[in-house]
mmCIF file of all heavy atoms in Angstrom:
data_model
loop_
_atom_site.group_PDB
_atom_site.id
_atom_site.type_symbol
_atom_site.label_atom_id
_atom_site.label_comp_id
_atom_site.label_asym_id
_atom_site.label_seq_id
_atom_site.Cartn_x
_atom_site.Cartn_y
_atom_site.Cartn_z
ATOM 1 N N ALA A 121 -8.427 -20.448 3.965
ATOM 2 C CA ALA A 121 -7.471 -20.757 2.895
ATOM 3 C C ALA A 121 -8.153 -20.957 1.543
ATOM 4 O O ALA A 121 -7.689 -20.453 0.514
ATOM 5 C CB ALA A 121 -6.649 -21.980 3.265
ATOM 6 N N ASN A 122 -9.259 -21.674 1.543
ATOM 7 C CA ASN A 122 -9.923 -21.952 0.267
ATOM 8 C C ASN A 122 -11.189 -21.131 0.063
ATOM 9 O O ASN A 122 -12.040 -21.453 -0.766
ATOM 10 C CB ASN A 122 -10.217 -23.450 0.144
ATOM 11 C CG ASN A 122 -8.923 -24.236 0.043
ATOM 12 O OD1 ASN A 122 -8.010 -23.860 -0.706
ATOM 13 N ND2 ASN A 122 -8.795 -25.274 0.842
ATOM 14 N N LYS A 123 -11.273 -20.072 0.802
ATOM 15 C CA LYS A 123 -12.401 -19.148 0.650
ATOM 16 C C LYS A 123 -12.053 -18.144 -0.457
ATOM 17 O O LYS A 123 -10.878 -17.855 -0.697
ATOM 18 C CB LYS A 123 -12.578 -18.443 2.001
ATOM 19 C CG LYS A 123 -13.323 -17.140 1.963
ATOM 20 C CD LYS A 123 -13.386 -16.492 3.344
ATOM 21 C CE LYS A 123 -14.085 -15.141 3.187
ATOM 22 N NZ LYS A 123 -14.402 -14.509 4.459
ATOM 23 N N ALA A 124 -13.072 -17.601 -1.112
ATOM 24 C CA ALA A 124 -12.812 -16.609 -2.156
ATOM 25 C C ALA A 124 -12.247 -15.336 -1.536
ATOM 26 O O ALA A 124 -12.851 -14.766 -0.624
ATOM 27 C CB ALA A 124 -14.101 -16.279 -2.903
ATOM 28 N N ALA A 125 -11.096 -14.913 -2.015
ATOM 29 C CA ALA A 125 -10.552 -13.619 -1.609
ATOM 30 C C ALA A 125 -11.121 -12.561 -2.548
ATOM 31 O O ALA A 125 -11.543 -11.491 -2.116
ATOM 32 C CB ALA A 125 -9.032 -13.633 -1.687
ATOM 33 N N ILE A 126 -11.135 -12.888 -3.839
ATOM 34 C CA ILE A 126 -11.646 -11.946 -4.838
ATOM 35 C C ILE A 126 -12.627 -12.656 -5.765
ATOM 36 O O ILE A 126 -12.334 -13.736 -6.283
ATOM 37 C CB ILE A 126 -10.488 -11.365 -5.683
ATOM 38 C CG1 ILE A 126 -9.500 -10.581 -4.792
ATOM 39 C CG2 ILE A 126 -11.013 -10.469 -6.808
ATOM 40 C CD1 ILE A 126 -8.258 -10.084 -5.524
ATOM 41 N N ILE A 127 -13.795 -12.062 -5.928
ATOM 42 C CA ILE A 127 -14.694 -12.488 -6.999
ATOM 43 C C ILE A 127 -14.633 -11.370 -8.023
ATOM 44 O O ILE A 127 -14.910 -10.207 -7.705
ATOM 45 C CB ILE A 127 -16.147 -12.676 -6.522
ATOM 46 C CG1 ILE A 127 -16.216 -13.707 -5.391
ATOM 47 C CG2 ILE A 127 -17.047 -13.096 -7.690
ATOM 48 C CD1 ILE A 127 -17.602 -13.837 -4.765
ATOM 49 N N PHE A 128 -14.236 -11.720 -9.227
ATOM 50 C CA PHE A 128 -14.036 -10.688 -10.238
ATOM 51 C C PHE A 128 -15.056 -10.828 -11.350
ATOM 52 O O PHE A 128 -15.346 -11.921 -11.815
ATOM 53 C CB PHE A 128 -12.623 -10.818 -10.830
ATOM 54 C CG PHE A 128 -12.424 -10.000 -12.076
ATOM 55 C CD1 PHE A 128 -12.380 -8.611 -11.995
ATOM 56 C CD2 PHE A 128 -12.303 -10.606 -13.320
ATOM 57 C CE1 PHE A 128 -12.210 -7.847 -13.148
ATOM 58 C CE2 PHE A 128 -12.133 -9.837 -14.477
ATOM 59 C CZ PHE A 128 -12.081 -8.462 -14.382
ATOM 60 N N GLU A 129 -15.604 -9.691 -11.763
ATOM 61 C CA GLU A 129 -16.434 -9.675 -12.964
ATOM 62 C C GLU A 129 -15.886 -8.616 -13.908
ATOM 63 O O GLU A 129 -15.771 -7.442 -13.556
ATOM 64 C CB GLU A 129 -17.892 -9.368 -12.600
ATOM 65 C CG GLU A 129 -18.816 -9.510 -13.805
ATOM 66 C CD GLU A 129 -20.300 -9.490 -13.447
ATOM 67 O OE1 GLU A 129 -20.723 -10.172 -12.491
ATOM 68 O OE2 GLU A 129 -21.039 -8.773 -14.141
ATOM 69 N N GLY A 130 -15.490 -9.059 -15.086
ATOM 70 C CA GLY A 130 -15.004 -8.131 -16.093
ATOM 71 C C GLY A 130 -16.174 -7.467 -16.791
ATOM 72 O O GLY A 130 -17.296 -7.966 -16.742
ATOM 73 N N GLU A 131 -15.924 -6.352 -17.449
ATOM 74 C CA GLU A 131 -17.042 -5.685 -18.116
ATOM 75 C C GLU A 131 -17.683 -6.550 -19.192
ATOM 76 O O GLU A 131 -18.914 -6.588 -19.309
ATOM 77 C CB GLU A 131 -16.617 -4.321 -18.684
ATOM 78 C CG GLU A 131 -17.845 -3.500 -19.018
ATOM 79 C CD GLU A 131 -17.526 -2.182 -19.688
ATOM 80 O OE1 GLU A 131 -17.129 -2.204 -20.867
ATOM 81 O OE2 GLU A 131 -17.685 -1.139 -19.057
ATOM 82 N N PRO A 132 -16.892 -7.305 -19.994
ATOM 83 C CA PRO A 132 -17.530 -8.165 -21.003
ATOM 84 C C PRO A 132 -18.316 -9.319 -20.391
ATOM 85 O O PRO A 132 -19.008 -10.042 -21.122
ATOM 86 C CB PRO A 132 -16.341 -8.714 -21.803
ATOM 87 C CG PRO A 132 -15.170 -7.857 -21.470
ATOM 88 C CD PRO A 132 -15.419 -7.337 -20.099
ATOM 89 N N GLY A 133 -18.202 -9.543 -19.066
ATOM 90 C CA GLY A 133 -19.002 -10.587 -18.434
ATOM 91 C C GLY A 133 -18.188 -11.786 -17.962
ATOM 92 O O GLY A 133 -18.741 -12.742 -17.414
ATOM 93 N N ASP A 134 -16.884 -11.764 -18.173
ATOM 94 C CA ASP A 134 -16.033 -12.866 -17.691
ATOM 95 C C ASP A 134 -15.959 -12.824 -16.168
ATOM 96 O O ASP A 134 -15.844 -11.765 -15.568
ATOM 97 C CB ASP A 134 -14.634 -12.769 -18.310
ATOM 98 C CG ASP A 134 -14.010 -11.373 -18.193
ATOM 99 O OD1 ASP A 134 -14.770 -10.382 -18.315
ATOM 100 O OD2 ASP A 134 -12.797 -11.277 -17.942
ATOM 101 N N ILE A 135 -16.061 -14.000 -15.545
ATOM 102 C CA ILE A 135 -16.079 -14.080 -14.079
ATOM 103 C C ILE A 135 -14.954 -15.003 -13.607
ATOM 104 O O ILE A 135 -14.717 -16.046 -14.197
ATOM 105 C CB ILE A 135 -17.454 -14.608 -13.589
ATOM 106 C CG1 ILE A 135 -18.530 -13.542 -13.860
ATOM 107 C CG2 ILE A 135 -17.416 -14.965 -12.103
ATOM 108 C CD1 ILE A 135 -19.949 -14.017 -13.676
ATOM 109 N N ARG A 136 -14.261 -14.585 -12.567
ATOM 110 C CA ARG A 136 -13.189 -15.402 -11.990
ATOM 111 C C ARG A 136 -13.292 -15.345 -10.490
ATOM 112 O O ARG A 136 -13.526 -14.276 -9.922
ATOM 113 C CB ARG A 136 -11.816 -14.799 -12.351
ATOM 114 C CG ARG A 136 -11.193 -15.362 -13.592
ATOM 115 C CD ARG A 136 -9.726 -14.945 -13.640
ATOM 116 N NE ARG A 136 -9.556 -13.567 -14.088
ATOM 117 C CZ ARG A 136 -8.416 -12.890 -13.953
ATOM 118 N NH1 ARG A 136 -7.374 -13.439 -13.368
ATOM 119 N NH2 ARG A 136 -8.315 -11.653 -14.393
ATOM 120 N N THR A 137 -13.096 -16.460 -9.829
ATOM 121 C CA THR A 137 -13.038 -16.454 -8.370
ATOM 122 C C THR A 137 -11.641 -16.898 -7.964
ATOM 123 O O THR A 137 -11.140 -17.889 -8.468
ATOM 124 C CB THR A 137 -14.098 -17.407 -7.779
ATOM 125 O OG1 THR A 137 -15.374 -16.937 -8.195
ATOM 126 C CG2 THR A 137 -14.054 -17.408 -6.268
ATOM 127 N N ILE A 138 -11.027 -16.122 -7.092
ATOM 128 C CA ILE A 138 -9.660 -16.405 -6.664
ATOM 129 C C ILE A 138 -9.656 -16.624 -5.165
ATOM 130 O O ILE A 138 -10.059 -15.734 -4.401
ATOM 131 C CB ILE A 138 -8.734 -15.223 -7.039
ATOM 132 C CG1 ILE A 138 -8.759 -15.035 -8.559
ATOM 133 C CG2 ILE A 138 -7.312 -15.443 -6.550
ATOM 134 C CD1 ILE A 138 -8.158 -13.733 -9.020
ATOM 135 N N THR A 139 -9.257 -17.805 -4.736
ATOM 136 C CA THR A 139 -9.244 -18.088 -3.299
ATOM 137 C C THR A 139 -8.014 -17.445 -2.677
ATOM 138 O O THR A 139 -7.088 -17.033 -3.376
ATOM 139 C CB THR A 139 -9.176 -19.604 -3.025
ATOM 140 O OG1 THR A 139 -7.917 -20.083 -3.519
ATOM 141 C CG2 THR A 139 -10.306 -20.360 -3.718
ATOM 142 N N TYR A 140 -8.004 -17.412 -1.346
ATOM 143 C CA TYR A 140 -6.828 -16.870 -0.663
ATOM 144 C C TYR A 140 -5.578 -17.666 -1.036
ATOM 145 O O TYR A 140 -4.510 -17.098 -1.233
ATOM 146 C CB TYR A 140 -7.047 -16.832 0.856
ATOM 147 C CG TYR A 140 -7.711 -15.522 1.269
ATOM 148 C CD1 TYR A 140 -9.087 -15.435 1.457
ATOM 149 C CD2 TYR A 140 -6.953 -14.362 1.425
ATOM 150 C CE1 TYR A 140 -9.686 -14.227 1.806
ATOM 151 C CE2 TYR A 140 -7.547 -13.155 1.771
ATOM 152 C CZ TYR A 140 -8.908 -13.093 1.959
ATOM 153 O OH TYR A 140 -9.491 -11.893 2.285
ATOM 154 N N ARG A 141 -5.723 -18.990 -1.177
ATOM 155 C CA ARG A 141 -4.553 -19.788 -1.532
ATOM 156 C C ARG A 141 -4.060 -19.420 -2.944
ATOM 157 O O ARG A 141 -2.871 -19.252 -3.188
ATOM 158 C CB ARG A 141 -4.892 -21.281 -1.458
ATOM 159 C CG ARG A 141 -3.645 -22.167 -1.426
ATOM 160 C CD ARG A 141 -3.970 -23.658 -1.456
ATOM 161 N NE ARG A 141 -4.799 -24.107 -0.351
ATOM 162 C CZ ARG A 141 -4.354 -24.269 0.915
ATOM 163 N NH1 ARG A 141 -3.101 -23.995 1.218
ATOM 164 N NH2 ARG A 141 -5.158 -24.701 1.859
ATOM 165 N N GLN A 142 -5.007 -19.278 -3.861
ATOM 166 C CA GLN A 142 -4.622 -18.908 -5.236
ATOM 167 C C GLN A 142 -4.042 -17.497 -5.297
ATOM 168 O O GLN A 142 -3.080 -17.243 -6.013
ATOM 169 C CB GLN A 142 -5.836 -19.029 -6.165
ATOM 170 C CG GLN A 142 -6.263 -20.467 -6.373
ATOM 171 C CD GLN A 142 -7.651 -20.575 -6.994
ATOM 172 O OE1 GLN A 142 -8.503 -19.684 -6.825
ATOM 173 N NE2 GLN A 142 -7.900 -21.660 -7.714
ATOM 174 N N LEU A 143 -4.613 -16.597 -4.521
ATOM 175 C CA LEU A 143 -4.095 -15.228 -4.489
ATOM 176 C C LEU A 143 -2.647 -15.253 -3.985
ATOM 177 O O LEU A 143 -1.767 -14.567 -4.518
ATOM 178 C CB LEU A 143 -4.972 -14.354 -3.584
ATOM 179 C CG LEU A 143 -4.569 -12.875 -3.486
ATOM 180 C CD1 LEU A 143 -4.678 -12.176 -4.842
ATOM 181 C CD2 LEU A 143 -5.449 -12.140 -2.459
ATOM 182 N N HIS A 144 -2.427 -16.081 -2.983
ATOM 183 C CA HIS A 144 -1.069 -16.227 -2.433
ATOM 184 C C HIS A 144 -0.104 -16.692 -3.528
ATOM 185 O O HIS A 144 0.985 -16.127 -3.705
ATOM 186 C CB HIS A 144 -1.105 -17.234 -1.275
ATOM 187 C CG HIS A 144 0.224 -17.413 -0.617
ATOM 188 N ND1 HIS A 144 0.985 -18.542 -0.799
ATOM 189 C CD2 HIS A 144 0.927 -16.607 0.205
ATOM 190 C CE1 HIS A 144 2.116 -18.415 -0.107
ATOM 191 N NE2 HIS A 144 2.106 -17.250 0.511
ATOM 192 N N GLN A 145 -0.532 -17.685 -4.279
ATOM 193 C CA GLN A 145 0.344 -18.213 -5.340
ATOM 194 C C GLN A 145 0.648 -17.145 -6.383
ATOM 195 O O GLN A 145 1.778 -16.982 -6.819
ATOM 196 C CB GLN A 145 -0.308 -19.435 -5.995
ATOM 197 C CG GLN A 145 -0.409 -20.609 -5.024
ATOM 198 C CD GLN A 145 -1.226 -21.778 -5.552
ATOM 199 O OE1 GLN A 145 -1.908 -21.659 -6.576
ATOM 200 N NE2 GLN A 145 -1.171 -22.896 -4.861
ATOM 201 N N GLN A 146 -0.386 -16.415 -6.761
ATOM 202 C CA GLN A 146 -0.181 -15.390 -7.797
ATOM 203 C C GLN A 146 0.721 -14.258 -7.311
ATOM 204 O O GLN A 146 1.565 -13.767 -8.042
ATOM 205 C CB GLN A 146 -1.528 -14.821 -8.249
ATOM 206 C CG GLN A 146 -2.361 -15.847 -8.997
ATOM 207 C CD GLN A 146 -3.663 -15.266 -9.528
ATOM 208 O OE1 GLN A 146 -3.792 -14.058 -9.714
ATOM 209 N NE2 GLN A 146 -4.634 -16.124 -9.774
#
Side-chain angles (χ1 to χ4, degrees):
N122 293 315
K123 159 183 177 171
I126 298 175
I127 302 174
F128 168 70
E129 187 169 314
E131 196 185 72
D134 49 323
I135 291 169
R136 267 194 281 166
T137 299
I138 300 167
T139 65
Y140 272 97
R141 196 184 301 285
Q142 291 166 332
L143 182 63
H144 182 254
Q145 293 172 349
Q146 292 184 22

